[in-house]
Amino acid sequence: MKYAELKAIGLQHGFKRETLWQIDYLQLQAGECVHLRGENGSGKTTLLKVLAGLQRPSAGQVLINQQPVRLGDGRCCYLHQQPYMFDKTVRANLAQVLASRPGAKHEKCERVEQALHWSGLSHHASQAARTLSGGERQALAMARAWLCQPQFWLLDEPIASLDEKGVERCVQLVSQLRQSGAAILMTSHQQGALTALCDSQWQLHQGKLTTEGG
């Protein structure tokens, strides 16, 4: 994966006259894995959405490789802890991602099979996505994003409510992403094998962001 860098400069967000957080500068580079911590209500999810271009900040800008992030920016993906599933099979959910993208049909079919293998969902390919377990749904959401090859992965409580097997699967996939050179920023209230993958921690507290080594 090519070198990539996400920066936020003079970032501020709030509601009406109340400031949720104000961040002068942050930087996330290719290959980094960061654990974003903070109490409930501190604005972690909002920050992830702003960095992904899904929500506009009150002030400041977010740049990826010196270019402004925008809505639907394929370079950066945000994954919610309860991902939406299309009312289709697992394979069809993956194919939906590539439907409007250029490329030959056989190439798209091959990419879908690669995503099934990458996520460990090959044996669930013909199963209705909405009948998957929590861990399998999370894996499918990650596989859909993987097809777009984002440089930055913003994971919002990816193992919340997952059983042990689901957590193990998530840890494996995040580890593979890290090895591929992707940048990962995650929130998680659960300390364990997933957060152990992180190089450093960021802390949102009283509207300010602090950073420290792992």
Side-chain angles (χ1 to χ4, degrees):
M1 182 173 289
K2 295 181 179 179
Y3 177 78
E5 181 179 67
L6 182 151
K7 290 182 180 180
I9 304 169
L11 212 57
Q12 182 176 321
H13 197 69
F15 307 96
K16 295 183 178 180
R17 296 183 179 181
E18 183 176 347
T19 298
L20 179 61
W21 41 250
Q22 183 171 340
I23 301 169
D24 295 332
Y25 182 82
L26 69 77
Q27 182 182 55
L28 182 65
Q29 297 180 336
E32 282 190 300
C33 188
V34 179
H35 181 197
L36 174 62
R37 303 180 64 186
E39 297 178 353
N40 290 337
S42 61
K44 301 187 300 297
T45 293
T46 301
L47 176 57
L48 293 185
K49 289 182 176 180
V50 167
L51 294 178
L54 298 175
Q55 202 166 323
R56 295 185 63 180
S58 302
Q61 59 180 337
V62 180
L63 305 172
I64 296 180
N65 299 337
Q66 305 303 318
Q67 298 296 320
V69 70
R70 58 189 183 277
L71 181 65
D73 197 320
R75 299 171 296 175
C76 186
C77 76
Y78 165 82
L79 290 183
H80 191 268
Q81 60 179 285
Q82 296 180 331
Y84 176 81
M85 300 284 109
F86 295 113
D87 192 14
K88 301 180 178 182
T89 66
V90 170
R91 180 180 279 110
N93 264 262
L94 294 170
Q96 185 76 30
V97 176
L98 302 177
S100 61
R101 291 174 174 261
K105 183 177 180 179
H106 74 276
E107 293 175 343
K108 292 182 180 181
C109 289
E110 183 178 345
R111 286 286 291 155
V112 167
E113 295 308 310
Q114 290 172 350
L116 286 168
H117 176 73
W118 178 81
S119 59
L121 293 174
S122 294
H123 59 296
H124 292 290
S126 300
Q127 183 176 336
R130 291 184 176 179
T131 66
L132 296 174
S133 69
E136 291 161 352
R137 288 164 68 97
Q138 185 63 255
L140 177 54
M142 294 181 71
R144 290 190 307 202
W146 181 85
L147 284 170
C148 301
Q149 294 295 289
Q151 297 168 311
F152 298 90
W153 292 70
L154 310 181
L155 309 179
D156 197 357
E157 296 290 342
I159 59 174
S161 303
L162 298 190
D163 59 18
E164 184 176 348
K165 185 176 180 179
V167 172
E168 289 177 357
R169 186 194 298 266
C170 186
V171 170
Q172 181 182 20
L173 295 180
V174 172
S175 179
Q176 291 175 9
L177 291 174
R178 185 185 180 194
Q179 291 171 14
S180 74
I184 303 162
L185 176 60
M186 70 174 79
T187 66
S188 179
H189 287 296
Q190 299 170 249
Q191 296 280 352
L194 183 64
T195 56
L197 296 174
C198 296
D199 310 296
S200 56
Q201 294 185 2
W202 294 356
Q203 178 88 22
L204 259 181
H205 180 64
Q206 296 182 346
K208 299 296 181 182
L209 182 73
T210 57
T211 63
E212 61 185 53

